[in-house]
Amino acid sequence: GIQVEQSPPDLILQEGANSTLRCNFSDSVNNLQWFHQNPWGQLINLFYIPSGTKQNGRLSATTVATERYSLLYISSSQTTDSGVYFCAVEATSGSRLTFGEGTQLTVNP
Amino acid sequence: DTAVSQTPKYLVTQMGNDKSIKCEQNLGHDTMYWYKQDSKKFLKIMFSYNNKELIINETVPNRFSPKSPDKAHLNLHINSLELGDSAVYFCASSQAGAWQETQYFGPGTRLLVL
């Protein structure tokens, strides 16, 4: 099956800093999503982005499907951005949504 | 109003018991999902229903049986619980089928099997 690798596994930032999270995948995809899980466990679907670029406030995501990666940008980070960010993909050859292991982000005040 | 709700939020039970988790969404969505998150926070899709029809069943043991009485509800029944079933179970819904649009998640049900 498709492999999904996220980097870095852990990231610690000071409030106000910018960051880039990366998601690499091993096969062509027709679906890619980013999720945030806050420290209390609540999951939020941030972006549905199989290709191109989308922005939502301080967050933006870019997927380059031909090169098999996606990037999540967080600008002017806030403590509320802390949590785990997951990338998930659906391979063109299959119907399963496969998750990466996540990036644990800690934003310190 | 809560968009996607799950009951119970916590469930502690003995091995071998049968238990159910309920999920309801008031968003008018057509598609609902069950996910499992293990102790290492790894997420995995279990099932997906679209308009009460099962569309995805991801190699889940047949001790797990989802039921969708209507498109606003997707319940998960687990027979003969095992230690490895301990996890957080998330319900989610989306307007379109099979992850084509934004999913909305419930708060999760934390299941501990002793």
Side-chain angles (χ1 to χ4, degrees), chain B residues 2-5 7 13 19 21 34 36 39 58 62-63 65 67 72-75 79 82 86 102 105 111-112:
Chain B
T2 303
V4 183
S5 60
T7 54
T13 188
K19 291 293 179 184
I21 306 172
W34 277 111
K36 179 180 179 181
S39 59
E58 288 293 339
N62 58 15
R63 299 182 294 104
S65 52
K67 284 191 170 50
H73 296 84
L74 180 61
N75 303 323
N79 289 327
E82 300 177 357
S86 296
T102 301
F105 286 84
L111 171 64
L112 178 61

Side-chain angles (χ1 to χ4, degrees), chain A residues 31 33 35 37 40-43 45 48 84 86 90 95-97 99, chain B residues 35 37 41-43 45 56 58 90 99-100 102-103 105-107 110:
Chain A
N31 188 346
Q33 301 194 10
F35 301 82
Q37 186 169 35
W40 297 271
Q42 180 64 47
L43 274 164
N45 194 180
Y48 163 67
V84 183
F86 294 100
E90 179 188 6
S95 63
R96 172 187 299 182
L97 194 68
F99 284 80
Chain B
Y35 290 87
Q37 186 172 41
K41 295 204 168 182
F42 188 72
L43 274 162
I45 180 72
I56 291 171
E58 288 293 339
F90 287 97
W99 313 298
Q100 299 306 309
T102 301
Q103 297 174 65
F105 286 84
R110 284 145 185 81

Side-chain angles (χ1 to χ4, degrees), chain B residues 12-86:
Chain B
V12 181
T13 188
Q14 299 287 330
M15 263 197 324
N17 284 351
D18 303 339
K19 291 293 179 184
S20 291
I21 306 172
K22 295 186 176 181
C23 179
E24 177 181 1
Q25 55 95 2
N26 62 7
L27 298 168
H29 287 166
D30 290 335
T31 304
M32 296 184 72
Y33 313 83
W34 277 111
Y35 290 87
K36 179 180 179 181
Q37 186 172 41
D38 64 22
S39 59
K40 296 184 179 180
K41 295 204 168 182
F42 188 72
L43 274 162
K44 182 179 174 182
I45 180 72
M46 299 175 70
F47 301 103
S48 177
Y49 271 72
N50 181 270
N51 276 319
K52 303 193 299 175
E53 298 291 327
L54 179 66
I55 55 173
I56 291 171
N57 181 346
E58 288 293 339
T59 60
V60 176
N62 58 15
R63 299 182 294 104
F64 290 78
S65 52
K67 284 191 170 50
S68 183
D70 54 62
K71 74 173 193 176
H73 296 84
L74 180 61
N75 303 323
L76 184 64
H77 187 76
I78 315 170
N79 289 327
S80 303
L81 278 155
E82 300 177 357
L83 295 177
D85 298 332
S86 296

Side-chain angles (χ1 to χ4, degrees), chain A residues 93-104:
Chain A
S93 57
S95 63
R96 172 187 299 182
L97 194 68
T98 301
F99 284 80
E101 294 190 351
T103 292
Q104 174 77 55

